[in-house]
């Protein structure tokens, strides 16, 4: 017997999906993730705890994952947002600078960092409708990144969708 876990079951090959029994495991409450982070990882600072819990999104495995991807994702998100503000040339330059392969790696990390920035805006009471729409666009791009897509194209479309009208 094998136990296969995934956050994206639709990204598995159809031959694998046809041979498994799906068991959906619910997202853990933030309080449970926070207690685990404090007790098992020794996280004491409230700001760090809140950030780690938000990034974990109810998953202990994500909480335990190497923080390097999160740091790179946050850095990538900051560069993406700066490119959006700098106009079309910079945002297309950013999109073209993305690796045209391996969308599940750095590109997905950047999208996760972008989602965290948008969630922070939502918690701070930013323009709710605009932030919710942006989150929906990033989630859509993240879903595409789990398939066979070119991150440069997805990044360019996302940049256009999120850019302020001129």
């Amino acid at each position: 017997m094998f136990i296969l876990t995934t956050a994206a079951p639709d990204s598995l090959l159809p031959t694998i999906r046809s041979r498994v029994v799906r068991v959906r495991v619910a997202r853990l409450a933030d309080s449970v993730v926070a207690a685990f982070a404090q007790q098992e990882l020794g996280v004491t600072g409230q700001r760090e705890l809140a950030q780690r819990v938000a990034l974990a999104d109810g998953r202990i495995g994500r909480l335990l994952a190497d923080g390097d991807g999160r740091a790179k994702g946050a850095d990538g998100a900051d560069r993406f947002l700066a490119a959006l503000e700098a106009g079309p040339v910079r945002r297309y330059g950013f999109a073209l600078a993305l690796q045209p392969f391996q969308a599940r790696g750095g590109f997905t990390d950047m999208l996760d960092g972008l989602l965290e920035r948008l969630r922070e805006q939502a918690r701070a009471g930013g323009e709710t409708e605009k932030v919710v729409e942006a989150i929906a666009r990033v989630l859509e791009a993240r879903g595409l990144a789990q398939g066979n897509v070119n991150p440069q194209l997805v990044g360019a479309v996302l940049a256009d969708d999120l850019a302020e009208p001129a």
Side-chain angles (χ1 to χ4, degrees):
M1 179 184 294
F2 290 95
I3 298 177
L4 175 66
T5 63
T6 181
D10 292 333
S11 67
L12 296 172
L13 293 172
T15 55
I16 293 173
R17 285 195 316 255
S18 71
R19 290 169 173 81
V20 299
V21 175
R22 285 189 181 195
V23 177
R24 186 171 183 329
V25 179
R27 177 188 184 284
L28 294 174
D30 287 347
S31 60
V32 173
V33 176
F36 181 88
Q38 290 172 322
Q39 293 171 2
E40 301 300 326
L41 303 178
V43 178
T44 56
Q46 288 301 316
R47 181 179 171 97
E48 180 187 3
L49 180 63
Q51 289 174 338
R52 302 267 314 257
V53 168
L55 286 171
D57 194 32
R59 300 177 216 160
I60 296 292
R62 190 177 274 182
L63 183 68
L64 295 171
D66 180 20
D68 190 41
R70 284 193 301 269
K72 287 180 183 175
D75 182 51
D78 291 341
R79 288 185 289 111
F80 179 79
L81 292 171
L84 286 183
E85 294 174 5
V89 172
R90 287 276 311 278
R91 72 176 180 251
Y92 292 133
F94 180 89
L96 288 172
L98 294 169
Q99 290 184 353
F101 51 86
Q102 296 179 339
R104 295 184 193 181
F107 183 61
T108 302
D109 289 340
M110 186 273 297
L111 293 174
D112 288 344
L114 188 55
L115 280 170
E116 182 54 31
R117 294 290 186 269
L118 292 168
R119 287 176 180 142
E120 287 172 6
Q121 286 181 15
R123 284 189 289 268
E127 298 176 53
T128 306
E129 186 176 328
K130 186 177 174 183
V131 172
V132 168
E133 179 64 26
I135 289 172
R137 298 287 184 179
V138 175
L139 286 171
E140 180 181 357
R142 195 178 189 295
L144 290 171
Q146 299 306 306
N148 187 18
V149 298
N150 182 324
Q152 293 172 329
L153 296 175
V154 175
V157 171
L158 180 63
D160 277 347
D161 289 345
L162 299 183
E164 292 288 330

